[in-house]
Amino acid sequence: MNIKEELMKLKTGLLTRRDIEEKDIPNDTIKIVKDEYTTFRNINSRLRNLDDRVDNYINWYYNNAVKGHYTPNGEYSEPREMRDLIEKVAVWYELRYPKYEVNRLMPGSDQEITEVNEVMFNNNQYINNIHGDNNLDIGTLNWPDFYNKEVFIKSLPSDEQFMFREVYYSSNVTIDANVPYLVRLHLTPDGIVDNAENFNYLKEDNSVDLDSYFVGKHIKEVLQYLKSNNISLNHNNNLEEAIKWHDKWVFLKDEFLNCVMYRIIERGGNRIGPRRAFLFAKEFNRNIDVPMMYGVDTSDPGLKLFVDEYIKAGGSKDLVCYKNYHRKSSKNEILGTIKVGEIIDWLEPIEKRSKGRQYVNKH
């Protein structure tokens, strides 16, 4: 299949996993509309399967950040490279928090005695060869801290590191205006106006000194003022384009991390996946509701402990979760739901009886 044929597949929304049929992909996933962020979120809210949400993101990325900005070869390869990067970060988190370490940090049905620090440091033959019989004091070393996100990000190629960097506004934005003067904003990285030049030439009256008025305001406030006061700007002007560019990349990076969390859940299975994703959510400021929603395995003896961790972290008892998401027999199988509060009501009596039996056995 040549490049042109592959691009036609991209345009029809087939940038998805091969086991997902075309009829399962919402038609509006691949459309570019005026409020693309709302459309994306509306589609995501209808997608129960987490891998479908990743596909939705890849389609959005192609349509809004790749299409028309790359060569045909780039348009073909960029979405796949983005999918690979999502997978790479998910694998890094698995290496950083192996199954036994997740069980140790978030006690569940399996009580682990293996510690990742022992495996990576004290029982590491390379380290033993360097230090001879003098074992390292593993109390001073911690594998998750050693293989921390800063180190991982620095190990990535520069183009992949970009997905983890802060998104800043351009330091200055020149306004396209039909006046003989340079109309320009000087901005802080966060989009606050440091200095404004020649904005008074955009209006007929002098009731407000706009150059002074805009200082200290956000670039979006400047745009809103100009629009609300009927001060016209050229189509596709630099002011609006600077805002769109910033918002687009903030959105792309935010949803990129969400997709990593989705893949951690899917890759880790019914118990470890959601718990590992919960650690990821707390570290990368993701929504902790998501791991809980997909982490209800009704056969899991450690489910109550997971729920307790979720509530302790600020979770809601009203959150509606899927029951046994990882045990579905097909992608479109209808799953039952249960609220976190209902899980607590169901499991607390069992937990109390178990503790009572333990007390009796001890005495």
Side-chain angles (χ1 to χ4, degrees):
M1 183 178 292
N2 58 36
I3 292 293
K4 184 176 180 180
E5 290 172 331
E6 287 287 352
L7 286 175
M8 289 302 296
K9 289 179 68 178
L10 290 174
K11 291 180 180 180
T12 54
L14 293 180
L15 259 175
T16 54
R17 293 167 59 241
R18 292 181 181 177
D19 60 342
I20 296 178
E21 298 180 10
E22 186 175 3
K23 63 182 177 61
D24 295 323
I25 305 170
N27 290 331
D28 51 359
T29 302
I30 61 173
K31 291 180 181 177
I32 303 176
V33 296
K34 186 175 181 180
D35 190 355
E36 63 267 29
Y37 306 117
T38 300
T39 300
F40 176 91
R41 292 189 175 102
N42 286 341
I43 294 170
N44 251 21
S45 67
R46 301 200 304 268
L47 296 175
R48 180 190 62 195
N49 290 282
L50 294 176
D51 282 342
D52 286 356
R53 292 189 179 188
V54 177
D55 295 334
N56 185 35
Y57 173 77
I58 296 297
N59 280 322
W60 196 96
Y61 171 65
Y62 169 73
N63 281 317
N64 293 277
V66 174
K67 187 177 180 181
H69 300 284
Y70 289 84
T71 64
N73 181 65
E75 289 192 358
Y76 171 74
S77 62
E78 279 295 317
R80 284 165 172 75
E81 290 177 6
M82 177 62 78
R83 192 185 293 277
D84 289 344
L85 179 58
I86 291 169
E87 208 71 10
K88 182 188 294 187
V89 181
V91 170
W92 159 66
Y93 222 71
E94 290 177 7
L95 295 173
R96 192 175 177 212
Y97 291 104
K99 176 181 177 180
Y100 51 81
E101 188 68 5
V102 174
N103 275 326
R104 195 177 67 82
L105 294 174
M106 295 190 62
S109 56
D110 298 322
Q111 299 302 314
E112 298 285 353
I113 59 173
T114 304
E115 291 192 22
V116 70
N117 293 338
E118 286 277 356
V119 174
M120 297 299 180
F121 298 122
N122 216 36
N123 295 332
N124 187 321
Q125 189 60 48
Y126 174 74
I127 292 178
N128 289 338
N129 290 341
I130 292 176
H131 292 274
D133 295 331
N134 298 318
N135 286 343
L136 286 176
D137 178 9
I138 63 170
T140 64
L141 295 172
N142 181 273
W143 172 249
D145 291 340
F146 182 85
Y147 199 17
N148 59 69
K149 64 181 179 182
E150 287 78 16
V151 169
F152 171 72
I153 292 169
K154 288 178 182 177
S155 73
L156 297 173
S158 58
D159 58 328
E160 293 180 355
Q161 290 182 31
F162 178 74
M163 293 304 295
F164 293 92
R165 294 175 186 154
E166 292 291 332
V167 182
Y168 296 124
Y169 283 94
S170 175
S171 59
N172 63 78
V173 177
T174 301
I175 311 302
D176 306 320
N178 297 319
V179 295
Y181 301 96
L182 186 65
V183 182
R184 182 165 55 188
L185 291 174
H186 296 268
L187 304 173
T188 68
D190 294 329
I192 303 300
V193 178
D194 263 343
N195 187 34
E197 300 179 51
N198 299 317
F199 275 84
N200 292 321
Y201 291 101
L202 299 182
K203 60 187 182 67
E204 295 180 358
D205 66 273
N206 295 318
S207 57
V208 179
D209 180 1
L210 293 184
D211 290 351
S212 298
Y213 179 74
F214 287 151
V215 173
K217 289 188 166 40
H218 194 273
I219 183 175
K220 291 183 178 179
E221 294 179 279
V222 173
L223 178 62
Q224 183 59 41
Y225 179 92
L226 296 177
K227 286 187 173 182
S228 61
N229 286 274
N230 298 317
I231 299 176
S232 61
L233 297 170
N234 293 335
H235 183 63
N236 292 331
N237 61 84
N238 289 340
L239 182 62
E240 289 184 285
E241 289 302 309
I243 293 172
K244 288 179 181 178
W245 183 92
H246 178 271
D247 288 353
K248 177 176 71 176
W249 282 102
V250 168
F251 177 82
L252 272 169
K253 294 182 180 187
D254 193 57
E255 290 300 327
F256 165 79
L257 291 174
N258 285 339
C259 286
V260 172
M261 180 171 61
Y262 302 153
R263 290 300 299 141
I264 290 173
I265 293 172
E266 291 281 12
R267 290 173 56 90
N270 58 337
R271 298 178 187 177
I272 294 301
R275 286 170 169 81
R276 185 182 284 125
F278 185 78
L279 296 173
F280 181 88
K282 290 200 296 183
E283 182 172 7
F284 285 87
N285 297 316
R286 301 296 93 200
N287 185 356
I288 61 171
D289 289 351
V290 177
M292 188 70 256
M293 285 176 63
Y294 289 86
V296 178
D297 176 358
T298 55
S299 67
D300 181 6
L303 178 58
K304 178 61 166 54
L305 295 172
F306 185 18
V307 170
D308 289 344
E309 287 294 317
Y310 167 74
I311 294 296
K312 190 189 305 180
S316 169
K317 292 183 179 181
D318 293 326
L319 178 71
V320 177
C321 305
Y322 295 115
K323 290 197 289 187
N324 303 316
Y325 171 79
H326 283 275
R327 286 197 276 151
K328 60 184 184 295
S329 57
S330 68
K331 191 185 79 168
N332 296 318
E333 179 182 338
I334 298 175
L335 298 176
T337 58
I338 186 171
K339 289 185 177 181
V340 169
E342 294 172 334
I343 298 173
I344 295 173
D345 292 341
W346 163 45
L347 293 177
E348 272 190 344
I350 300 174
E351 184 180 51
K352 288 178 181 178
R353 287 197 299 270
S354 176
K355 288 181 178 179
R357 285 194 296 270
Q358 291 174 7
Y359 177 82
V360 170
N361 291 336
K362 284 182 179 180
H363 295 79

